[in-house]
Amino acid sequence: MAGNSDLQLSRRKTRDKSFALLILGVVLLMPPIVRTSLFEGSVFGIPYTVFYMFLVWAGLIAGAFLLSSRLRDTDKSLQSDANRELVE
Amino acid sequence: MLSVNILLAACLGYVFLLFTVAFVVDRRTREGPINWLHSPVIYTLSISVYCTSWTFYGAVGSAARNGLEFITIYLGPTLVFVGWWWLLRKLVRIGRAHRVTSIADLISSRYGKSSSLAVLVTLIAVIATTPYIALQLQSVTSSYQVIAGETDGVTTAFWVAAGMALFTILFGTRNLDANERHHGVVAAIALEAIVKLLALIAIGIYATFFVADGLADVFADVPKEIIQSSGDVFGPKWVILMFLSATAIICLPRQFQVTVVENIEERHLATASWLFPLYLFGMTIFIMPIALVGLKVMPAGANPDLYVLTLPLAEERHELALFAFLGGFSSATSMVIVAAIAVSTMVSNHIVMPIALRLLAAGRAVSGDVRNLLLISRRISIGLILGLGFLYFYVSGGSEALAAIGLIAFVGVAQFLPSLVGGIFWRGATRAGAISGLIAGASLWAYTLFLPSFGGQFILSPDTLAYGPWGLNFLRPQGLLGLSDMDPLVHAVIWSVGVNALTFIVVSCFTQADVLERLQGTLFVDVFRSAGGAPTTQTTGTAETEDLFILAQRILGTQPARDLFDEMALAQGIDSGLPHATDTVISRLERELAGSIGAASAHAMVTRIAGRQTVGMSELIDIADETQELIETSRQLADKSAALERTARQLRVVNERLRTLDAQKDEFLSQVSHELRTPMTSVRSFAEILMENKETPPETTARFMSIIHDESIRLTRLLDEILDISSLEAGRIELILEDIVASTALQRAIDTLSGVTHKEGVEVNVTGDIEGLITQANDDRLRQVLINILSNAVKYNTSESPRIDIRTHASDLNIFIDIIDNGGGVSREEASSVFEKFARGSSAGSNQGAGLGLPISRAIMRAMNGDLTLEFSSDGTSFFRVSLARA
């Protein structure tokens, strides 16, 4: 069924996105990329290095937040136990 | 100065609050599940047991000394939780499916429920956890001393340890429910998580906005060496610390306990994936400001590890200092409680119980309740762990060495990583590989990091540390094989985890897994694929239900065991008495027992009673499932391709017929044009003659005109016939059928032709008896057919005394009219072509019609549910048969 395969596709996309987010986090927080934060300067009085670290961190949290509910919907075992029993 | 009495009162009040929360929640849970306790927020808060006093106090100290480096400890877990879908989800699913009680249980269960592996993991966990507990005792003690002045640290630590032991024993071992969940403890931990977060944020806000003048002021004039540390902050140590913290959030026994074992619903993990990083974010956002403000404000000699406490004290903000103390107290106690539960579960399940069981089995003592034994062993284990922690604190005397112990413990538990991750993603991992990897890794960890952390006071002498054992420099603990120019931590991680992983992989490749191990491996690796994932059991008929019942009684308690067996008996349709020891019963029992004593012990016990160790059908089926799915898929593929082949074959046949029809159509068209051409030509030539020769005599003109007229009529008739046949064949003409008398229709046709027959001298005889039989037909069309056939019989009859015999007869369904003439008839060779369009009998003369009469007649008959056929009688003469459907 077309609807079903669309759903499958969007689920796969969500998983891919969450994997991409993980890779992005690792790359941004590991050398050598993390060294780009070493230049002088400050944002709102906060040294750029510190600002960069918390900015990436906040980005990861936001990304995980956006993806978590969609990921949760992709697997029926991740839904509430009560709901699952209804389904079964 | 904050008075000791107030401090003690606040402390005791807080502890009392924790006890009350745990007690109330525990009691309420017994009556039914508490909704708010099942929320993902509580789950996330309990995971924050990751933030111990090492975070609460130590992170500020670390930031003051090494700048940004402290943040790695929180970024690693963030990445693990952001990527929860790939690792944590699988761990939690396995933990739930196999009722895993601890990380040792999971690893041993994966490698064929190996008890030696369980013992090994347990020992490493105890060794790594004990100093960590000592660290918590020390932090509570020193923070107490900061406020209360120099008191006897050992006494304080002792009372803290004793209090924690009491709490853990009270709420951690109240019941031996399956799944090892401790609702009261979780609620208390969640409360502590909130307190420590709020306390740290309060101190941070105070330091940033009250002591300093906002963030810009905090960072003003700070040399970049302080933030980026004196060396290279993003060097190898950065990577190693990220790796270690990411590992620790999975492998620390207490983290495994709260994340996997205490997990109530898998979907809570989805919320924790962002909420836990957010919690860490909140915990760390003010670490740097506190450290920087501390460095500016506090006197030079002050210990940065205690800035969180000393900063508000120095500014005379006693209520804040008290809050900070409670925050630190919360971080320490929550860690101690959960770690004690986690490690004591392992010690009790994998070390104490197997020994006790062996003793019981040796004496064949069946009396007594193992449940009590189990509870006692759990309680003793908790006391033992906290006692060890206290002892470690006492012996090390609260030395500086403790400060580094957090990371040392991280590296210790990181040894679990290869076996754990390899075990759940790689089917080829074997028990021998896991054991040898763990032993190699743990030994190297002890040699390169743990023992040197005592600074030459314990086992390794200062000489050994400096010059290597027996003066062998290349064996120096912190410079193995000459790798000496790196940080001791990086050195230790690379050696221990590296050698561990390598040994694990290589040995796994060269050893064979036994049957149970392979089965468990498949169940773990494919946990998302197999529907059941029930733990494996070994069973064949010899299991004695009564023995199993006694065993269950001893472990679960008399009443729960009775309930369980009654339920299983009822499921088998037995009203009273014990159930039969079927696969299901034994597997269910083993699962229930595993929830209390771990898979390996449950397996060992049931095996002992059930006797033989063979493989149950259910897990073979589980494993076969995957193969089955593949077979099913390929079968469907084969079906599909067969169907496709059939369709293609049909298409070929249809295509062939279409080609034939197309050829026939071309043929028909060329014949039609040919037939039309002949009369057209004569019409045109006579018309031309008339036009050119004006002097033509009138009689000749009249003759020509009559020819043109005749030819025009022929043309019109021909076109009518062509239209008629194409309409009939395409089914465009609906013939109106009515009930008519067959013999009457025949007679009228003969009458119509009587003029011709009379003129040609043809004799017509009608025989047979169809008088009064009714047929369904169109009167005019039927007459048309009969006249056509009869006139053919007259026209083509070359006989001297022409005669037509008409024989009529009837069957149940049909009326037959056979028309037989004594003319030449049709030869068998011609038979197939007489019904073709434009075909004429060989004996026919020229100008005898277009040859459409027979095809039209046949089409009419078929449209009336009858037929027109050419038949041969026994003597070889041919005749036409008109079949009519009876009404």
Side-chain angles (χ1 to χ4, degrees), chain A residues 15-16 18-22 25-26 29-31 34-35 37-40 44-47 49-50 53-55 57-58 60-61 64-65 67-69 71-72 74-75 77-82 84, chain B residues 68 70-71 74-75 78-80 82-86 89 93 96 215-216 219-220 224 227-228 232-235 238-239 242-243 264-267 270-271 273-274 277-278 280-281 284-285 288 528:
Chain A
R15 285 175 210 184
D16 290 350
S18 109
F19 192 68
L21 181 71
L22 176 64
V26 172
L29 293 174
M30 287 283 184
V34 76
R35 288 174 177 281
S37 70
L38 277 175
F39 75 80
E40 304 287 325
F44 311 121
I46 305 165
T49 316
V50 179
M53 218 55 75
F54 281 95
L55 187 73
W57 197 347
L60 284 176
I61 294 170
F65 174 73
L67 288 173
S68 71
S69 58
L71 273 176
R72 189 169 53 206
T74 61
D75 192 327
S77 65
L78 288 172
Q79 283 147 27
S80 130
D81 281 348
R84 187 159 77 246
Chain B
L68 258 185
F70 79 94
I71 211 172
Y74 311 97
L75 288 178
T78 298
L79 288 175
V80 170
V82 166
W84 64 286
W85 185 266
W86 283 275
R89 189 174 70 102
R93 174 71 61 89
R96 292 167 60 88
L215 276 173
F219 287 104
K224 86 173 182 191
I227 289 170
Q228 298 174 5
D232 176 13
V233 66
F234 298 133
W238 177 273
V239 179
M242 287 264 258
F243 166 76
I264 298 172
E265 285 183 31
E266 262 179 56
R267 70 194 176 98
T271 307
S273 74
W274 59 271
L278 187 64
L280 294 179
F281 190 89
T284 43
I285 193 151
M288 202 85 201
F528 292 116

Side-chain angles (χ1 to χ4, degrees), chain B residues 749-761:
Chain B
I750 294 169
D751 291 349
T752 310
L753 276 177
S754 58
V756 185
T757 48
H758 189 72
K759 197 181 105 196
E760 298 281 333

Side-chain angles (χ1 to χ4, degrees), chain B residues 551-771:
Chain B
L551 175 78
Q553 268 187 324
R554 285 154 61 191
I555 292 168
L556 302 171
T558 313
Q559 197 49 44
R562 165 60 57 192
D563 293 344
L564 175 67
F565 274 70
D566 280 351
E567 192 194 319
M568 293 193 295
L570 211 60
Q572 292 184 354
I574 301 169
D575 283 340
S576 62
L578 295 171
H580 301 301
T582 58
D583 260 11
T584 330
V585 164
I586 290 177
S587 130
R588 168 93 188 274
L589 181 63
E590 194 180 313
R591 211 157 55 229
E592 295 288 338
L593 296 186
S596 295
I597 56 174
S601 298
H603 177 67
M605 286 175 162
V606 179
T607 315
R608 189 157 296 145
I609 291 176
R612 284 186 287 171
Q613 177 170 338
T614 48
V615 176
M617 271 318 282
S618 56
E619 60 274 6
L620 280 181
I621 289 168
D622 262 346
I623 293 174
D625 262 355
E626 189 195 348
T627 328
Q628 193 56 43
E629 269 170 40
L630 278 177
I631 292 171
E632 179 66 17
T633 315
S634 60
R635 198 185 59 77
Q636 284 172 359
L637 272 179
D639 282 358
K640 281 241 167 63
S641 74
L644 278 177
E645 218 166 278
R646 260 200 310 282
T647 314
R649 221 170 22 242
Q650 285 166 357
L651 276 177
R652 266 201 302 279
V653 170
V654 170
N655 191 28
E656 201 61 38
R657 260 177 52 201
L658 277 178
R659 280 175 193 285
T660 318
L661 283 177
D662 188 48
Q664 283 176 0
K665 186 202 73 187
D666 286 347
E667 175 99 341
F668 177 65
L669 277 179
S670 77
Q671 277 170 344
V672 166
S673 18
H674 177 73
E675 292 294 330
L676 290 178
R677 202 183 157 76
T678 323
M680 283 302 283
T681 314
S682 65
V683 167
R684 209 181 79 197
S685 39
F686 283 114
E688 276 168 4
I689 292 169
L690 285 177
M691 274 178 346
E692 282 162 15
N693 303 325
K694 308 279 185 214
E695 303 305 314
T696 319
E699 59 273 23
T700 316
T701 308
R703 196 165 56 85
F704 284 2
M705 295 291 263
S706 113
I707 291 174
I708 291 175
H709 181 246
D710 287 350
E711 290 298 304
S712 306
I713 288 174
R714 219 179 107 203
L715 263 177
T716 316
R717 202 177 61 229
L718 185 63
L719 287 173
D720 280 347
E721 284 177 343
I722 291 170
L723 279 177
D724 205 20
I725 194 168
S726 68
S727 308
L728 279 168
E729 283 185 343
R732 276 202 301 275
I733 294 182
E734 268 305 314
L735 291 178
I736 300 156
L737 303 184
E738 51 203 347
D739 288 352
I740 56 170
V741 182
S743 53
T744 314
L746 177 62
Q747 193 51 54
R748 275 169 59 193
I750 294 169
D751 291 349
T752 310
L753 276 177
S754 58
V756 185
T757 48
H758 189 72
K759 197 181 105 196
E760 298 281 333
V762 180
E763 184 191 343
V764 180
N765 292 318
V766 182
T767 52
D769 185 22
I770 56 164
E771 211 53 48

Side-chain angles (χ1 to χ4, degrees), chain B residues 255-386:
Chain B
Q255 292 309 133
F256 191 89
Q257 175 80 26
V258 289
T259 312
V260 178
V261 182
E262 304 274 358
N263 176 281
I264 298 172
E265 285 183 31
E266 262 179 56
R267 70 194 176 98
H268 288 175
L269 208 51
T271 307
S273 74
W274 59 271
L275 195 55
F276 180 61
L278 187 64
Y279 184 95
L280 294 179
F281 190 89
M283 280 299 272
T284 43
I285 193 151
F286 284 113
I287 297 283
M288 202 85 201
I290 296 173
L292 294 177
V293 170
L295 283 174
K296 277 182 197 166
V297 175
M298 300 301 289
N303 180 2
D305 279 336
L306 289 170
Y307 277 169
V308 173
L309 203 54
T310 50
L311 196 64
L313 273 182
E315 303 284 325
E316 295 286 320
R317 296 298 297 262
H318 294 310
E319 73 291 347
L320 263 183
L322 186 62
F323 195 20
F325 175 80
L326 286 182
F329 184 76
S330 293
S331 353
T333 51
S334 55
M335 180 272 165
V336 172
I337 292 166
V338 179
I341 289 178
V343 178
S344 73
T345 307
M346 295 198 230
V347 170
S348 152
N349 282 354
H350 303 304
I351 297 179
V352 179
M353 280 311 288
I355 294 173
L357 281 171
R358 200 148 298 177
L359 293 178
L360 281 177
R364 297 216 40 91
V366 189
S367 62
D369 195 343
V370 177
R371 176 188 166 79
N372 276 336
L373 180 74
L374 199 59
L375 280 176
I376 291 167
S377 102
R378 193 73 60 87
R379 283 168 187 158
I380 291 175
S381 305
I382 291 174
L384 205 73
I385 305 284
L386 284 167

